[in-house]
Amino acid sequence: MGSARQALIIGGTGMLAGCTERLAEQGWRVALPSRRPRERQSPGVVAVRAEWSAPELFAERVADALSGPVELLVSWVHTPWREPVLRACERLLTEAAPTVEVWASASADPVRNRPEPVLARRGCHQVLLGFHRMNGRSRWLTNAEISEGVYLACLAAIAGEEPRVHAVGQLRPWSARP
C-alpha cells in the first residue's frame, strides 16, 4: 500500500468529513469507521464498519483495514463510549502519534465542562466547538467551519506543536449561544 502516513478519524463521516477529505488530499491514508460506511469513498479514505458500543471489536476492525500503525488519531466520540473506544484504539497508534479530541455541547459550556483528554500523555490537542455571533444574532458552526478548525488543530498536532486547546467559533459568553 505504499508509505502513506495513516490517520484514524473517529466521528469523521458527518461534520468532520471536510477534515477527513483534506487529510486524504494531503496524502494520508485515513481509516474512517462508521456504523453504516459509504460504499464509495474518496481516494485515500478507507471505510471501516464498526460501532462504538463494541470498543475492542471497533479497534480490531480498524487494525484489519490498515496496513500498519496509526500516526494521527482524531476523535469526536460521545460519552459514555469516549474513554473505552479511545483506550481500545490506543494500541493502534505509533509511540509518537498525536491525538486531537473534539468536544462540543449544545447545552453545557464546553470550557467549564471540558473533560481531561483520554490519551493525555500523547500530547492531545483539544478542539472546543462554540458558535458564531454577528449583528446580535447567534448560530451554530457550519460543518465547513468545524472541519476547518479541526483540520488546523491536526496540522498543529502533526507539526509537533505543544498540545493546547483550540477554540472554533465563539465560546463566551456561553449564554449568547443560539
Side-chain angles (χ1 to χ4, degrees):
M1 278 316 301
S3 62
R5 295 177 81 186
Q6 297 193 123
L8 168 56
I9 301 185
I10 304 172
T13 58
M15 290 184 228
L16 297 184
C19 178
T20 300
E21 295 295 325
R22 293 211 35 207
L23 285 170
E25 289 167 3
Q26 296 297 315
W28 286 79
R29 186 163 188 252
V30 181
L32 190 59
S34 174
R35 281 180 290 171
R36 293 179 294 280
R38 290 188 323 201
E39 296 264 338
R40 307 184 101 199
Q41 296 288 344
S42 300
V45 178
V46 178
V48 179
R49 182 173 303 280
E51 293 193 35
W52 297 348
S53 60
E56 292 300 325
L57 181 58
F58 183 98
E60 183 179 311
R61 287 187 175 168
V62 170
D64 288 347
L66 294 176
S67 60
V70 171
E71 297 170 85
L72 172 67
L73 170 63
V74 180
S75 63
W76 190 349
V77 183
H78 307 292
T79 307
W81 302 282
R82 181 176 156 264
E83 188 164 342
V85 167
L86 294 179
R87 294 257 181 247
C89 289
E90 185 173 22
R91 67 182 168 84
L92 307 177
L93 307 178
T94 64
E95 191 59 37
T99 63
V100 176
E101 280 194 44
V102 181
W103 186 252
S105 174
S107 59
D109 180 340
V111 174
R112 289 192 6 206
N113 295 298
R114 174 177 52 102
E116 288 298 315
V118 173
L119 306 176
R121 71 172 186 79
R122 294 189 156 274
C124 183
H125 287 253
Q126 291 183 292
V127 179
L128 301 184
L129 302 179
F131 55 94
H132 183 72
R133 186 163 176 79
M134 188 186 324
N135 300 327
R137 299 185 131 191
S138 296
R139 65 168 174 78
W140 293 115
L141 299 170
T142 65
N143 290 358
E145 291 166 337
I146 291 168
S147 276
E148 179 67 13
V150 173
Y151 177 71
L152 292 174
C154 288
L155 293 180
I158 294 164
E161 292 182 18
E162 193 68 29
R164 67 179 188 273
V165 173
H166 303 259
V168 180
Q170 182 176 332
L171 298 170
R172 294 283 181 240
W174 191 244
S175 59
R177 71 191 186 283

